[in-house]
Amino acid sequence: MDDRQLLRYSRHILLDPIGIEGQQKLLDATVLVLGCGGLGAAALPYLAAAGVGRLLIADHDTVDDTNLQRQITYTEADIGQAKAATMAGYLKRLNADCRVEAYGRLDEDGLRRLLPQCDVALDCSDNFAARHALNAAAWATRTPLVSGAAVRFEGQVAVYRPDRDGQPCYACLFDGEQADDGACATFGVFSPLVGIIGTTQAAEALKILMGLPVESGVLRCYQALSGAWQHFRLQQNPECRVCGGR
């Protein structure tokens, strides 16, 4: 780190569990974030601001009026623009040292090509097909995965560690053939909820990158009306089509 970076990241460096060594790990890290909507718009600015050196971001959607109620990195001037490209521009203005690569739609094959370059992946998508594709690719490449979801007044976060034996995966909990959580367009979503879940995902990802303690295999559910969190320990499904028997 040069003198400018030492000053920029000084509030991290002052923290004993992080220090210069932990900050350098962030600067050397590569993170993939699937989805630049509500969750991604909350997680990505903190990843960039914290000093993650390289961000691979993917979203095939464009900004529209209904996004602006909760996706606070976009403005009215961005309506009609591609989310990934618009987000990339925002992140580069936030931290010019952060290398950002923007992609459109990524299928499982595309994810498998990118994930070997990554130290952690964040699932900030809004549909089960994308979540299952990222989960399968993460397990194939043994990439730590931080999953998030938010709808109505309810959100959830879980950390999956395919780089460790005996750990459950997303498919252990949500069966791909039956699971369906609906969409914001149908059920709505409380504006600050995506910020709470997305920034929690960012925190878990940063801790993984710096080697700080992280609780994996636990589903954390948040209820925005009560402000309460519930924690549920997950078990690996031996018959899981993704990770079973490993």
Side-chain angles (χ1 to χ4, degrees):
M1 278 182 282
D2 57 29
D3 289 344
R4 181 185 60 82
Q5 290 174 313
L6 289 170
L7 178 61
R8 178 178 185 125
Y9 303 116
S10 61
R11 298 306 188 269
H12 262 177
I13 293 169
L14 287 168
L15 297 171
D16 288 340
I18 298 179
I20 290 178
E21 181 180 355
Q23 186 60 50
Q24 188 62 55
K25 289 179 180 178
L26 295 183
L27 295 171
D28 295 337
T30 298
V31 174
L32 182 142
V33 178
L34 183 63
C36 297
L39 300 178
L44 279 163
Y46 279 98
L47 296 175
V52 173
R54 183 177 175 226
L55 289 170
L56 313 183
I57 66 175
D59 198 306
H60 67 281
D61 203 1
T62 57
V63 180
D64 67 38
D65 292 88
T66 65
N67 300 146
L68 302 183
Q69 164 255 10
R70 65 198 177 281
Q71 299 176 21
I72 60 173
T73 54
Y74 304 119
T75 69
E76 293 178 354
D78 297 322
I79 292 174
Q81 301 300 309
K83 284 185 179 178
T86 303
M87 178 64 74
Y90 176 89
L91 298 175
K92 290 175 183 176
R93 292 191 297 273
L94 183 64
N95 188 347
D97 290 338
C98 182
R99 304 186 306 279
V100 185
E101 300 174 21
Y103 298 86
R105 188 187 301 274
L106 285 176
D107 59 14
E108 186 177 329
D109 289 339
L111 291 166
R112 289 193 186 211
R113 287 194 296 271
L114 290 175
L115 283 180
Q117 308 172 39
C118 301
D119 301 287
V120 66
L122 278 72
D123 179 4
C124 296
S125 61
D126 62 357
N127 65 87
F128 268 99
R131 292 172 191 161
H132 280 289
L134 181 54
N135 177 67
W139 279 82
T141 57
R142 301 182 72 87
T143 306
L145 173 63
V146 183
S147 175
V151 69
R152 301 185 182 93
F153 292 95
E154 300 168 354
Q156 58 185 233
V157 179
V159 175
Y160 300 102
R161 298 300 301 263
D163 54 327
R164 297 179 178 175
D165 293 333
Q167 290 281 312
C169 78
Y170 182 84
C172 291
L173 181 62
F174 297 104
D175 182 270
E177 300 299 322
Q178 301 174 9
D180 183 10
D181 61 353
C184 295
T186 304
F187 299 116
V189 61
F190 184 47
S191 175
L193 176 65
V194 296
I196 294 167
I197 300 302
T199 54
T200 301
Q201 288 182 265
E204 296 304 292
L206 292 173
K207 289 189 292 182
I208 291 171
L209 294 173
M210 293 186 288
L212 300 179
V214 175
E215 190 174 41
S216 61
V218 174
L219 180 68
R220 288 183 280 170
C221 298
Y222 178 73
Q223 223 296 332
L225 289 177
S226 67
W229 286 90
Q230 290 181 294
H231 294 205
F232 302 93
R233 174 66 61 182
L234 307 177
Q235 299 293 326
Q236 187 179 44
N237 177 4
E239 297 181 0
C240 176
R241 58 190 175 84
V242 176
C243 71
R246 200 171 89 179

